[in-house]
Amino acid sequence: MVNNSVPSLKLNNGLQIPIVGLGTYARKAEPEQFQQAVEWGIDAGYRHIDTASCYNNEESVGAGIANKIKEGIVKREDLFVTTKLWNDKHAQNDVVPTLKSQLARLQLNYVDLYLIHWPVSVNDKGEDTAIDYLETWKGMEETVKLGLAKSIGVSNFNKEQLQRLLQHASIKPTVNQFEISPTMTQYELVDFCKSQSVVSVAYTPLGLISEARPEFEKYASIKNDPKIKAIAEKHGKSLAQIGLRYLVQRGIPVVPKSFTRSRIQDNINLFDFQLTEDEMTVVDNFNLNLRCVPATQFEKYTYFPFH
Ligand SMILES: NC(=O)c1ccc[n+]([C@@H]2O[C@H](COP(=O)([O-])OP(=O)(O)OC[C@H]3O[C@@H](n4cnc5c(N)ncnc54)[C@H](OP(=O)(O)O)[C@@H]3O)[C@@H](O)[C@H]2O)c1
């Protein structure tokens, strides 16, 4: 089943980002699983793929893309590929060579979007190096000038960090990618980004309504809540589809990850129904302000964003 009806949003540089992308992070997986997911994703109609240097899967993601281009299913220009700069490459002069090696792994000449993964910087032992992200941004701007990235942005930046970057940037960030879901609704940061023409992209978009968060077992009852089950039943959709549709309807691109073919297909099948205002409010009320990705390992670092 191919989904050809996925809308795009315009970035502040005039380029377009498809509102559904395929996430590719997995704590433990075989290289073939990433490649397979990307190939199933492209077959299902995904044209936006989200990876990162620290996912250690850029070769597999690149191989999946290359296969689908070779098969004639897509052309490079049909795809929107995002990757991210890891925290140990924040020195300005590291950015361009780092992206060049990521592009080699991805078998691409450019990425559509390059993100600073976190505002924190570390050395190769993982210790805080307190490199100012304004310095890193200068390297990010060079990647655009060299044609290695079409658009640049950030991830996990809080309001103050983004505001400070916007005041100093020559090329404006197009995107802030951060955790947004029915259980982490993030209205304040999303509204701030909107006011600055920065697109908020939702990672971990399923939050605690997906089945895969054993560490949050005490919230497992959300999945059996009669209010959200009734909405899903009314529309003939799964809870995951209701959660993703809720974000898309708020104008937020989502990058759900799955290794399961039927879920990959379901997660992009969001455009033949609409939630009513009341249903949006019901989903809003699942907000717990609880991060699935608290990144507490960086808590004491100079540029930790989640205080
Ligand atoms: N910028 C950042 O710092 C950052 C941080 C975290 C994530 N991300 C990006 O965001 C992507 C998504 O986040 P995530 O992987 O943390 O979480 P997610 O996409 O919200 O959830 C993924 C989990 O939900 C399951 N799932 C997927 N579709 C489902 C469905 N339809 N029904 C039930 N369960 C479903 C998957 O299981 P199966 O695979 O077994 O199907 C997987 O275990 C990542 O892959 C990555 O690309 C970025």
Side-chain angles (χ1 to χ4, degrees):
M1 185 185 55
V2 180
N3 196 310
N4 292 316
S5 55
V6 180
S8 290
L9 294 184
K10 204 183 221 176
L11 300 172
N12 61 28
N13 60 4
L15 298 175
Q16 305 271 339
I17 183 169
I19 203 158
V20 181
L22 184 71
T24 65
Y25 173 72
R27 205 170 294 171
K28 248 180 114 186
E30 297 304 320
E32 302 74 44
Q33 289 178 281
F34 296 111
Q35 181 174 336
Q36 180 68 85
V38 167
E39 294 192 20
W40 282 338
I42 291 174
D43 285 341
Y46 288 76
R47 296 296 177 260
H48 169 179
I49 295 162
D50 183 81
T51 181
S53 172
C54 81
Y55 302 169
N56 289 319
N57 66 9
E58 287 172 313
E59 277 102 347
S60 308
V61 168
I65 291 172
N67 271 350
K68 288 295 149 187
I69 292 176
K70 204 161 86 192
E71 286 175 22
I73 307 293
V74 279
K75 299 196 208 59
R76 168 65 185 97
E77 57 271 27
D78 300 331
L79 296 174
F80 186 100
V81 180
T82 301
T83 196
K84 313 186 190 88
L85 177 79
W86 187 239
N87 307 343
D88 61 349
K89 304 290 183 208
H90 274 211
Q92 181 183 344
N93 290 336
D94 279 346
V95 180
V96 165
T98 299
L99 178 53
K100 282 184 176 164
S101 43
Q102 292 180 257
L103 287 170
R105 291 197 288 271
L106 286 162
Q107 303 182 46
L108 299 176
N109 300 322
Y110 67 89
V111 285
D112 297 273
L113 181 61
Y114 196 40
L115 302 177
I116 300 183
H117 204 146
W118 289 89
V120 300
S121 68
V122 305
N123 61 18
D124 53 11
K125 293 195 202 83
E127 298 156 341
D128 187 9
T129 49
I131 296 174
D132 189 338
Y133 51 80
L134 295 184
E135 176 189 333
T136 314
W137 192 253
K138 292 194 184 114
M140 298 293 284
E141 291 175 334
E142 287 168 39
T143 68
V144 176
K145 290 177 193 150
L146 292 168
L148 303 172
K150 298 266 186 213
S151 303
I152 48 177
V154 295
S155 175
N156 295 304
F157 274 44
N158 66 30
K159 180 178 167 186
E160 291 67 33
Q161 291 168 331
L162 186 57
Q163 203 156 28
R164 181 167 171 261
L165 177 59
L166 285 162
Q167 279 160 3
H168 290 87
S170 308
I171 301 177
K172 246 183 148 186
T174 55
V175 158
N176 187 15
Q177 183 185 105
F178 53 100
E179 183 171 347
I180 319 172
S181 73
T183 46
M184 182 73 191
T185 54
Q186 297 266 29
Y187 271 93
E188 202 185 329
L189 189 50
V190 170
D191 287 348
F192 175 70
C193 289
K194 210 173 274 175
S195 75
Q196 302 299 310
S197 306
V198 172
V199 168
S200 300
V201 172
Y203 77 60
T204 316
L206 299 173
L208 298 181
I209 64 171
S210 84
E211 287 163 26
R213 301 271 166 202
E215 68 273 37
F216 294 109
E217 201 45 49
K218 75 177 202 197
Y219 298 104
S221 59
I222 290 176
K223 287 176 295 208
N224 298 317
D225 186 285
K227 292 190 287 305
I228 196 156
K229 279 177 101 173
I231 296 174
E233 271 162 34
K234 175 187 145 188
H235 293 286
K237 298 285 174 182
S238 68
L239 296 191
Q241 287 171 310
I242 298 300
L244 295 170
R245 175 70 207 186
Y246 157 83
L247 294 170
V248 161
Q249 230 170 282
R250 284 177 57 192
I252 300 170
V254 294
V255 290
K257 170 264 170 187
S258 180
F259 282 161
T260 314
R261 189 170 200 173
S262 58
R263 288 172 170 179
I264 289 173
Q265 291 169 340
D266 285 352
N267 293 347
I268 200 170
N269 182 9
L270 308 174
F271 301 99
D272 58 353
F273 74 109
Q274 197 157 1
L275 300 175
T276 65
E277 243 172 75
D278 285 350
E279 289 168 343
M280 290 293 284
T281 307
V282 169
V283 182
D284 268 336
N285 287 335
F286 283 92
N287 185 30
L288 296 165
N289 278 328
L290 185 76
R291 289 181 196 280
C292 294
V293 186
T296 44
Q297 72 273 28
F298 302 135
E299 210 163 41
K300 301 248 154 51
Y301 290 24
T302 313
Y303 293 108
F304 182 67
F306 304 151
H307 291 300

